[in-house]
Amino acid sequence: MAPVDKSKVPWWVSNLIVPLVNLTLALLVSGLFIFIAGENPYEAVRLIIYGSFGYIEGFAYTLYYTTNFVFTGLAFAVAFHCRLFNIGGEGQAYIGGLGVFLVAINFSFLPVPIVWLLSIAGAVVFGAAWAFIPAYLQATRGSHVVITTIMFNFIAASLMVFLLVDVIRDTSQMGPHTVALPKEQWFPSFKDFASLFGIKIRYSPLNISFLLAIAASVFVWFLVWKTRWGYEMRAVGHNTQAAIYAGISPYKNIIIAMCISGGLAGLLGVNEILGVHHKIVAGFPAGYGFTGIAVALMGRNHPIGIFPAAFLFGILYQGGSEVTFDMPNITRYMFVAVQGVIILFSGALENLFRPQIESFFVNRLNIKASA
Amino acid sequence: MVSPILELTNINKSFGHVHANKNINLTINKGTIHGIIGENGAGKSTLMSIVFGLYQANSGTIKVNGKEINLRSPKDSIINGIGMVHQHFMLVENFTVLENIILGFEGELVFGKNLEKAKKDLNDLCDTYKLNIDLNSTISDLSVGFRQRVEILKSLYRGAEILILDEPTGVLTPQEVDELFKILRSLKEEGKTIVLITHKLIEIMDLTSEVSVMRQGEMVGHTKTENTNKEQLAEMMVGRSVLLRLDKSEVKAGEVLFSVKNLTVKDDLDVTRVKNVDLEIRSGEILGLAGVTGNGQTELLEALSGIRKVESGEIYLEGKKVSDSQNFLDPRELKDKGLAHVPEDRQRMGLVTDFKAYENLIFGYHDQQPFSKSSVLNHRDIISHSKKIMEEYDVRPQSPNLITSNFSGGNQQKIILSRELNENPKVLLVGQPTRGVDIGAIEFIHQRLIDMRDRGTAILLVSVELDEVLSLSDRIVVMFDGKIVGEKENKNVTDRELGLLMAGVV
């Protein structure tokens, strides 16, 4: 098939139709899995939709997951604009959480809103610092960030286990976690807000970090497309030679991009520590850092795409757990597989049907134009 | 007995809106050396890539030995006895000669009998054609000339009867060229057919028995080499005398704006590419730098524009030292001091092709007012500025929001030129300003450069197109093997004189 003239493809075809087709295909294949497992795919879809939208707490859970995916998705996207494959979001989030906790516990004498702001800054600084080392090695030594960031995930995990067992463990308890933060420092949850309006609902982990996720999305959009820094990062990412020619330092931009990326991943710690656990629990990033890669790829590394992609994964997480409750043949791992299929179709096989779809629409539009 | 071995009929090939080959007809006789000559971008390489199965023609037929064949990949061509030596060699650097040649034709899982046979066959081939290659040497240890021989040997081993060579001498030293020609002649004597693609007239006259001339995608003539001469071929090739006689006022050179003293520069592999070069460029003059590709021009330009480190020597801008081996200004600082640079390779260096046109139109100037204020890009001013200069430089289409890779080569070049010229630089470094650019744009670009010079800019023009250097420059220096080997006022100087200098003969 002859390649289509890219300039003639309308934006909504490449940015809406193609991802939707890929998603539909992924869901069809997932349906097949469920069918083979001996359950009714139609019923499973109904359960997913009920679980994630059907009642207020379920929907709150969906948005809570969305919050985490937005942070890690944005983190991956920022680095990717500089063509850096930062798969260390998991570790950066973990260390970011440490930053949140240390700041909150040590500055508890300050007014609460200031503690919150400082804790958010702590998350960013700690996450960025954890990303800085691989960034520095990439910029000066050419050590590939894919290798170093994944190793830093392991180092972060080991370091945190060491800290949680031997250094900052709550000694009155057996588990590997810290003491809880003072109650007044906890982020107001969705439940608290609802009760302000006299609505009584049950617990859900959704909290005001969701607003922080929206702010972070706006920040990333502004940074990447509206500032000199974003412009320079993209120039380095697309054509390093040209960047050097224009007097843009690849060294500086690799480090800046990675640190911003790490800082965004660190914000996951704000949601988890201030919003949900109120202490550091071993393994709290729970794979969000990795799923963020899929979220970013699916959202085409643009905040406007990342938000709906994060929401979709939120639906899958929340709806998926509902399904596993009600369908004995479907395990949690089934939904890991479903996620895998979505990543496969929207990431790795992203361009599988793109030429066909694009030329279909281009031909259609040409016929319309000439008629 | 003359019989056609390769016949092309009505070959057409387009890339997007560029018609690279138009109704090409070509007959090549067995046992001859057939030259195909034309300027850069005339469509020679495209045509031969079709014959080698790398591209598929949009229409037309190809016959080998009178039989029509369908070439869908290089594999089909190899089966039909067609081999090609590319401009850029297709060799695995850390493999030995033997490993490279049998790559894809190993024939067995564990090397044994076949390998021994291959070795013997290859040694026989080397002897027959006096290739003088050691099969066990590693490619990375071989000189460019030898690598080319390995490519030739590879084609022969795979049974090539027709051997296509694409600009084989572009990267060779004169001695290596002589050696290559010897090999090609002995191939011809053994009955092989050779197609030589080149833009150098001297090679055609030296080596070929028949020659075909291409211009702007069309075949404009076939002739026996003995019935023609260089002047006639040059006229067919260029097909115009406009370019050679640009309207240009008398040079009014002023004070020295840019000078280079005893400059030495190394490339990424630590090879010295620029050797003790001295240059002086005055305000209001164009200094042309001629030379065969790969004689240090690229490294010189990169050093002058602050991209590459200076090994020794000094660079002065308006009498003030800007770079030596210890202290040097980076490209942005040089820009601020009034030095603009149009790089040789627009897609590799001059543009970010994935960017929108307006993003490229401010590239390198993006941190200046009014484009950016306290690090925030001023979108409205950038767009209105882009519209203005796109109109002024006739960039088509005039849409600042279009992705740059969707512009044609000529318009991409205009984007760079408009960006660099718009700042009214004091010194302008230009590398290959019209490479791969269509005729209309060439004249436009040349006129702009002349205008800049008349307004007092000091211009250094680096080009491998002798015509271009001759038609634009006020003074010409020739670079060979990293050294300046000659300097001429551009009065009564002939391309012949320059050609000899470029070849390092004088």
Side-chain angles (χ1 to χ4, degrees), chain A residues 5-7 83 222 225-229 231-232 234-235 238-239 241-249, chain B residues 307 331-332 335 341 343 347-349 351-352 354-355 359 362-364 366-367 372 375-377 406 419-420:
Chain A
D5 184 353
K6 284 277 171 207
S7 58
R83 283 298 173 277
F222 189 77
W225 280 277
K226 297 290 156 187
T227 68
R228 208 185 90 196
W229 299 323
Y231 177 90
E232 295 192 355
R234 285 184 294 132
H238 284 296
N239 188 343
Q241 284 276 347
I244 296 169
Y245 153 80
I248 297 167
S249 159
Chain B
I307 296 168
R332 196 176 293 184
K335 262 184 190 125
H341 174 206
Q347 301 207 331
R348 195 174 62 89
M349 197 175 264
L351 295 166
V352 180
D354 296 332
F355 269 14
E359 292 177 301
I362 58 165
F363 194 53
H366 56 274
D367 54 345
S372 110
S375 291
V376 177
L377 295 177
N406 289 324
R419 176 182 77 207
E420 299 301 322

Side-chain angles (χ1 to χ4, degrees), chain B residues 190-458:
Chain B
E190 296 293 323
K192 305 278 182 194
T193 309
I194 290 164
V195 183
L196 179 73
I197 307 174
T198 180
H199 64 270
K200 291 178 195 156
L201 293 163
I202 193 153
E203 293 172 4
I204 293 288
M205 300 312 292
D206 252 23
L207 201 63
T208 64
S209 47
E210 280 161 65
V211 55
S212 303
V213 186
M214 287 188 79
R215 183 173 75 225
Q216 287 176 45
E218 289 180 86
M219 199 55 96
V220 292
H222 304 283
T223 173
K224 286 216 176 301
T225 313
E226 58 196 25
N227 299 337
T228 186
N229 56 37
K230 269 199 274 182
E231 286 68 26
Q232 203 185 353
L233 283 177
E235 218 177 286
M236 281 164 83
M237 212 168 105
V238 182
R240 64 196 134 88
S241 38
V242 219
L243 195 69
L244 297 171
R245 268 172 267 287
L246 258 175
D247 275 334
K248 202 169 74 165
S249 55
E250 221 18 59
V251 57
K252 289 197 272 300
E255 85 250 62
V256 175
L257 282 186
F258 193 66
S259 63
V260 173
K261 292 203 172 71
N262 211 12
L263 187 75
T264 297
V265 182
K266 284 185 174 174
D267 69 8
D268 296 336
L269 301 172
D270 220 27
V271 178
T272 307
R273 300 305 298 263
V274 178
K275 298 166 186 166
N276 306 68
V277 163
D278 290 295
L279 289 175
E280 266 189 359
I281 315 167
R282 295 171 178 277
S283 128
E285 76 164 352
I286 298 181
L287 176 66
L289 181 78
V292 177
T293 312
N295 276 293
Q297 301 98 312
T298 304
E299 290 77 12
L300 176 65
L301 260 187
E302 288 179 0
L304 297 186
S305 57
I307 296 168
R308 188 173 286 282
K309 204 176 143 281
V310 170
E311 200 60 33
S312 68
E314 294 109 42
I315 302 171
Y316 295 86
L317 183 65
E318 289 188 288
K320 284 197 250 2
K321 180 148 82 175
V322 289
S323 294
D324 60 25
S325 58
Q326 299 307 315
N327 304 301
F328 54 94
L329 298 186
D330 71 20
R332 196 176 293 184
E333 292 165 324
L334 286 169
K335 262 184 190 125
D336 291 343
K337 293 203 180 307
L339 179 121
H341 174 206
V342 176
E344 287 187 304
D345 189 333
R346 62 176 163 267
Q347 301 207 331
R348 195 174 62 89
M349 197 175 264
L351 295 166
V352 180
T353 48
D354 296 332
F355 269 14
K356 290 177 174 170
Y358 75 82
E359 292 177 301
N360 272 313
L361 282 163
I362 58 165
F363 194 53
Y365 302 93
H366 56 274
D367 54 345
Q368 294 180 2
Q369 298 260 22
F371 305 141
S372 110
K373 268 181 207 154
S374 46
S375 291
V376 177
L377 295 177
N378 186 343
H379 197 256
R380 212 172 35 185
D381 281 10
I382 293 170
I383 293 287
S384 71
H385 164 84
S386 300
K387 282 197 177 131
K388 200 184 95 214
I389 64 173
M390 283 176 105
E391 192 178 322
E392 200 182 320
Y393 285 80
D394 194 28
V395 180
R396 275 176 269 181
Q398 260 177 47
S399 17
N401 277 305
L402 191 62
I403 301 287
T404 310
S405 54
N406 289 324
F407 287 87
S408 70
N411 283 303
Q412 290 182 4
Q413 189 69 3
K414 283 184 188 170
I415 288 177
I416 300 179
L417 272 163
S418 63
R419 176 182 77 207
E420 299 301 322
L421 300 192
N422 189 57
E423 298 293 313
N424 274 320
K426 293 180 191 127
V427 177
L428 177 64
L429 310 173
V430 202
Q432 321 296 353
T434 57
R435 180 188 273 171
V437 165
D438 57 278
I439 296 286
I442 290 179
E443 284 176 23
F444 180 88
I445 290 167
H446 283 177
Q447 198 51 53
R448 286 286 168 158
L449 292 176
I450 299 280
D451 291 348
M452 288 299 290
R453 155 213 188 237
D454 290 345
R455 270 187 274 156
T457 303

